[in-house]
């Protein structure tokens, strides 16, 4: 059972990246997925979440209007499209899965109760 985040890199302010969270060993259909980030010297921050039903999404105020979360259950993957990136978005980004059952409208970005955590991917926003 594994979650793997990928797609990070170095980008200039105002640029875009798309992160992917791929699951292996289990199906994401039964899970809400959250994206989190942690910058050096700071606490982990919830960024976004999406319910297993795909009907509910949530965003931190700091990324609303810039980031978009989506899922493709056929590919067992969740994405985080990040636009208009700012230097303060620099962090290691992690995805995590929370079992809710298929068709649930629940998702959370507080990080509590997550069943699986993936290894992170570094996002650096700098000119």
């Amino acid at each position: 059972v594994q979650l793997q985040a990928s797609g990070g890199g170095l980008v200039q302010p105002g640029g875009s990246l798309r992160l992917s969270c791929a699951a292996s060993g289990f199906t994401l259909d039964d899970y809400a997925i959250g994206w989190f980030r942690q910058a050096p010297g700071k606490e982990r921050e919830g960024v976004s979440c999406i319910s297993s039903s795909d009907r509910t999404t949530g965003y931190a105020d700091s990324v609303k209007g810039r980031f978009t979360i989506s899922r493709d259950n056929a590919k067992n993957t969740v994405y985080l499209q990040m636009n208009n990136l700012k230097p303060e978005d620099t962090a290691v980004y992690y995805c995590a899965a929370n079992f809710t059952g298929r068709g649930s409208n629940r998702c959370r970005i507080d990080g509590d109760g997550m069943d699986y955590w993936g290894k992170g991917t570094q996002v650096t926003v700098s000119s």
Side-chain angles (χ1 to χ4, degrees):
V1 173
Q2 188 176 7
L3 279 175
Q4 181 64 58
S6 62
L10 173 64
V11 64
Q12 292 186 340
S16 298
L17 285 172
R18 188 177 80 157
L19 304 184
S20 298
C21 175
S24 59
F26 69 105
T27 177
L28 289 182
D29 297 36
D30 294 323
Y31 291 81
I33 303 299
W35 282 98
F36 304 84
R37 66 186 182 187
Q38 188 164 21
K42 294 187 176 181
E43 292 189 354
R44 187 184 66 203
E45 174 189 18
V47 175
S48 183
C49 69
I50 187 166
S51 65
S52 65
S53 70
D54 203 8
R55 288 191 289 268
T56 300
T57 58
Y59 298 93
D61 288 342
S62 58
V63 307
K64 279 181 182 176
R66 300 188 297 121
F67 290 11
T68 303
I69 192 169
S70 63
R71 63 192 301 152
D72 185 341
N73 286 345
K75 295 183 178 180
N76 221 25
T77 301
V78 172
Y79 303 98
L80 185 67
Q81 178 67 44
M82 306 187 298
N83 298 328
N84 190 21
L85 283 161
K86 303 176 180 181
E88 51 264 41
D89 295 318
T90 296
V92 178
Y93 283 70
Y94 302 87
C95 59
N98 170 226
F99 180 82
T100 59
R102 200 161 300 193
S104 170
N105 292 328
R106 293 182 289 121
C107 78
R108 59 195 301 176
I109 59 171
D110 58 12
D112 291 339
M114 309 307 284
D115 296 288
Y116 304 113
W117 286 87
K119 293 182 180 180
T121 185
Q122 175 71 47
V123 172
T124 303
V125 185
S126 175
S127 54

